[in-house]
Amino acid sequence: MSRRKTERLLNLVICLLATRRPLSAEQIRQAVPGYDRDGDEAFQRMFERDKNELREIGIPIEVHRDPWEDEPGYRIQREAYELPEITLEPDEAAVLGLAAQVWQRASLAEAASGALLKLRAGGVATDAGPGEALELRVDTRDPSFPALWEAVRDRRVVRFDYRPAAGESVRTRTVEPWGVISRRGKWYVAGFDRDRQGPPASSGSAASRGRSPRSAGQGWSRCPKGSTCGRWSASPRRRCRSAPPSSRYGRARARGCGRSRGPYARGARDGTRWSWSSPTPSGWRDGSPAWAPT
Amino acid sequence: MSSTADRLPRLLALVPYLMSHPGAQVDEVAAVFGLSEKQLIDDLQLVWMCGLPGHTPGDLIDVSWDGGEIIIDNADTIARPLRLGIDEASALLVALRMLAATPELAEFAHGDALPRVVAKLEQAAGEGAAAVSSQFAVDVESAPDAAARVREALTGRRRLSLRYYVPGRDEVTPREVDPTRLVMADGRTYLEGWCYRAEAMRLFRLDRMLTVEVLDVPADPPAGAEPIDVTQGVFRPSPTDELVVLEVTAAGRWVAEYYPYEQVEELGEGRMRITLRARDDDWTLKLLLRLGDTGRIVSPQAMAAKVQQEAERALALYAQAS
């Protein structure tokens, strides 16, 4: 991002936060330096890109469509933008520092350190934790991890090629991921296998393996607060009983990347490949975003 | 956080940081944000060019860093940081829940503070992060009996006497260890320390300690003892360990998922040739016996005879029984 662009975006954020009334694109063009020099079409494209970039970093831009106006209006609501007031006692700050340390050099390292930085910026004293006497490390080198994190976060169905523990054949699975757990350093996904759904009596092959779905699960929408699937602590097998019906556990292929650690170090093979399945049918992706994109 | 794409999020945290820490020093702030002093000054210069629409001197943000002391003014619009993103809050919440679910770690980490932090963070982050983070879990195997004494020795800097189980040789060995760290990796907790028996730094699994005794001797690991690097996993074979080549069927492919290897080659129908480094013959022998008819050794040749001999010894037990 060029310096000029960073300046323009920062001025845009300040402008949209400062305004009480939603501003039209034209008003924004007049108010924010950096837009003024361009023609109409160039400005429109630039403004669209800028809005998208701000949304990508989590800035909630509101769009108002007033029936009396031709053009939509934009603004950022302070309450939606700002980190709420938060104060931590010294022991709480120490715990938070320790929690951030868990993801060091893992795929969530940036997210964890970004969170700490925001809290510090908000005046929270965070601590580095108990320092050298304790090292906590959760391995997220599994190449499936980032895809699963996103799928659970965005409530999306995943499709992957999966080879069962002792099987020869690789099958493509389409799964609504309910949750992801790390056990003994390996990641597992639990979810509803769409291809195997149906009345329990017909799921003979699954029953013979002792992991029969008890009832046909419908598209799962949201883990209810305090429900069993939200508090996993037992082993995947045991958890089968307390998880929602028709749960099915698949090993996300583990220990993959890095120096000669696993199959993925060798490039493509017939292991697990992830892809998004889309569009997602109704009933599955019902978590509506905090703000609607234009 | 020094690449240019991260610059806007950084500025949106930098301004509130400076507002809540008036008079902060350039070098301190640079360290907090992971920047060089030059990069930080460049950020300050950029901020100084920005402000409210109109952009008259009265609208612009005012920043000065005379004598290394940073003063910021007229930046009320962005005086609070942006709220936590779902990834950011969830990363912390998943880690906090892991700590809460593992008593030995929780106690190390001011256990009673954990639920308070989780509640505050959930409130600050909103419903989305709470929901997402409850769908991720990191399971850590607990060994509470050993943990209390290991923690006592670590905090009091005292030597430990252990009876430690070594499954590779199926024996219990007495050890005296000067503890250096508690390490949680691959879902297990380990004590790192200087082992007087091995005369080296070692990791000891807490759940393999049969007895733990805190000695009345101060811990005094040698000055040159280096911490063990666990970033690539706890079990790392040495480059001098012997190379072993195995061929496994589809049912034996788990070997490549569980152990670090040097090379794998697909042989069709799910079969695979795996080259890995074995720490000793006993380990290789046990692996092959465990594989049963789902894997065989290709090299070294001498091991094949040993495996056959061991398998026959086991079979002989059944011949006598029938």
Side-chain angles (χ1 to χ4, degrees):
Chain A
M1 202 188 283
S2 74
R3 188 191 173 89
R4 253 181 60 197
K5 184 172 171 194
T6 310
E7 256 181 61
R8 184 178 75 233
L9 289 176
L10 185 56
N11 279 320
L12 177 60
V13 172
I14 295 172
C15 168
L16 292 177
L17 268 169
T19 184
R20 290 215 185 97
R21 287 182 303 108
L23 298 177
S24 70
E26 189 51 39
Q27 287 169 313
I28 291 166
R29 186 184 185 180
Q30 300 301 328
V32 175
Y35 287 134
D36 34 11
R37 272 161 289 188
D38 297 286
D40 287 354
E41 229 176 272
F43 161 70
Q44 275 302 337
R45 276 201 307 273
M46 199 188 242
F47 182 54
E48 286 304 311
R49 271 203 306 271
D50 287 358
K51 274 190 294 171
N52 287 338
E53 285 195 32
L54 294 186
R55 281 172 177 150
E56 267 167 34
I57 63 169
I59 295 177
I61 301 178
E62 264 185 15
V63 185
H64 291 261
R65 291 185 197 281
D66 190 327
W68 307 106
E69 303 274 349
D70 294 339
E71 301 285 328
Y74 304 91
R75 70 166 182 166
I76 301 170
Q77 278 229 331
R78 192 166 284 274
E79 307 79 70
Y81 172 94
E82 287 183 348
L83 178 74
E85 282 297 335
I86 175 170
T87 50
L88 295 183
E89 302 298 323
D91 59 343
E92 296 170 347
V95 169
L96 205 61
L98 191 64
Q101 194 215 318
V102 168
W103 302 111
Q104 259 177 25
R105 271 168 279 192
S107 64
L108 293 173
E110 212 175 297
S113 61
L116 275 197
L117 208 51
K118 283 181 178 172
L119 291 167
R120 273 196 202 131
V124 174
T126 56
D127 198 291
E132 297 184 341
L134 186 56
E135 167 146 357
L136 305 172
R137 194 162 288 283
V138 176
D139 194 337
T140 56
R141 283 175 298 161
D142 191 313
S144 310
F145 182 81
L148 280 170
W149 176 272
E150 283 172 34
V152 169
R153 181 193 61 197
D154 303 339
R155 323 194 53 70
R156 290 176 70 169
V157 179
V158 285
R159 181 173 294 144
F160 51 91
D161 293 344
Y162 189 76
R163 183 199 297 278
E168 274 179 34
S169 57
V170 175
R171 270 193 37 208
T172 299
R173 305 290 187 101
T174 307
V175 173
E176 296 169 10
W178 285 339
V180 174
I181 184 171
S182 165
R183 195 170 154 70
R184 293 191 180 167
K186 296 183 177 58
W187 290 97
Y188 298 79
V189 57
F192 178 74
D193 187 331
R194 288 199 162 174
D195 303 326
R196 291 200 179 191
Q197 67 182 316
S202 67
S203 57
S205 65
S208 68
R209 290 175 56 198
R211 287 191 271 166
S212 165
R214 289 271 154 77
S215 67
Q218 291 307 307
W220 167 78
S221 55
R222 184 162 287 250
C223 190
K225 210 167 184 187
S227 76
T228 45
C229 63
R231 286 185 275 110
W232 296 347
S233 59
S235 77
R237 288 277 169 85
R238 270 187 287 147
R239 230 177 307 101
C240 253
R241 271 184 262 126
S242 56
S246 312
S247 83
R248 187 154 300 289
Y249 291 82
R251 247 302 288 293
R253 206 164 281 283
R255 292 187 177 275
C257 55
R259 244 177 335 115
S260 6
R261 286 284 302 199
Y264 277 77
R266 304 291 144 201
R269 66 162 214 170
D270 55 351
T272 312
R273 274 199 323 273
W274 295 91
S275 61
W276 302 122
S277 81
S278 64
T280 53
S282 61
W284 162 237
R285 191 181 180 181
D286 71 342
S288 48
W291 34 263
T294 53
Chain B
M1 276 199 48
S2 56
S3 88
T4 49
D6 295 331
R7 199 165 184 191
L8 183 66
R10 184 174 75 221
L11 296 175
L12 291 173
L14 178 63
V15 172
Y17 184 89
L18 297 173
M19 298 282 283
S20 60
H21 299 78
Q25 294 293 315
V26 168
D27 54 345
E28 285 168 20
V29 178
V32 167
F33 283 81
L35 299 171
S36 69
E37 291 186 24
K38 191 167 166 285
Q39 285 171 313
L40 175 62
I41 303 274
D42 196 46
D43 275 3
L44 295 178
Q45 279 167 340
L46 196 156
V47 166
W48 184 70
M49 299 289 291
C50 296
L52 290 165
H55 291 256
T56 65
D59 297 319
L60 293 174
I61 296 172
D62 215 356
V63 204
S64 68
W65 52 95
D66 294 337
E69 198 184 81
I70 309 172
I71 306 284
I72 192 162
D73 200 14
N74 213 20
D76 294 344
T77 342
I78 48 171
R80 286 292 295 168
L82 182 55
R83 65 169 55 236
L84 299 179
I86 286 189
D87 282 359
E88 292 172 331
S90 301
L92 292 181
L93 285 168
V94 171
L96 288 168
R97 294 216 178 88
M98 178 197 82
L99 291 173
T102 317
E104 56 260 50
L105 297 181
E107 274 170 47
F108 221 107
H110 313 272
D112 53 329
L114 274 164
R116 284 182 270 132
V117 184
V118 170
K120 285 182 180 180
L121 207 58
E122 279 186 348
Q123 206 195 348
E127 205 181 296
V132 170
S133 65
S134 69
Q135 284 163 259
F136 281 82
V138 179
D139 203 12
V140 182
E141 284 178 27
S142 196
D145 298 347
R149 251 161 268 155
V150 167
R151 196 173 60 246
E152 183 190 334
L154 267 168
T155 48
R157 296 178 188 281
R158 304 263 295 279
R159 186 168 299 174
L160 279 171
S161 167
L162 310 175
R163 282 176 62 237
Y164 189 71
Y165 177 62
V166 185
R169 297 193 295 274
D170 191 27
E171 60 184 35
V172 175
T173 55
R175 312 268 182 155
E176 286 202 358
V177 179
D178 285 346
T180 52
R181 288 190 301 169
L182 195 66
V183 174
M184 193 283 292
D186 291 349
R188 291 196 170 96
T189 39
Y190 299 80
L191 167 71
E192 181 202 64
W194 180 264
C195 174
Y196 284 90
R197 186 187 166 99
E199 296 198 323
M201 287 293 260
R202 286 282 187 272
L203 288 169
F204 299 97
R205 258 170 71 167
L206 261 59
D207 60 343
R208 288 190 177 155
M209 296 175 180
L210 302 186
T211 59
V212 187
E213 196 186 334
V214 184
L215 300 179
D216 204 9
V217 180
D220 184 24
E226 288 283 322
I228 296 172
D229 178 13
V230 293
T231 48
Q232 299 295 317
V234 173
F235 171 62
R236 283 187 310 159
S238 139
T240 56
D241 286 346
E242 186 173 32
L243 275 178
V244 170
V245 182
L246 311 169
E247 275 181 20
V248 297
T249 65
R253 293 174 71 98
W254 59 268
V255 172
E257 290 173 6
Y258 278 80
Y259 301 111
Y261 59 75
E262 300 289 316
Q263 202 181 336
V264 291
E265 194 185 332
E266 291 290 343
L267 303 174
E269 295 166 337
R271 292 181 308 122
M272 198 183 227
R273 183 179 295 131
I274 307 168
T275 307
L276 45 76
R277 293 194 182 274
R279 73 186 90 153
D280 56 37
D281 283 1
D282 264 7
W283 183 86
T284 313
L285 194 57
K286 285 207 174 79
L287 175 63
L288 282 153
L289 290 172
R290 188 176 164 196
L291 278 168
D293 67 348
T294 63
R296 67 180 191 92
I297 190 156
V298 177
S299 92
Q301 273 292 318
M303 272 313 288
K306 269 193 193 171
V307 177
Q308 193 172 6
Q309 205 181 339
E310 277 303 303
E312 274 165 8
R313 250 164 35 98
L315 274 175
L317 294 175
Y318 297 92
Q320 279 162 15
S322 60

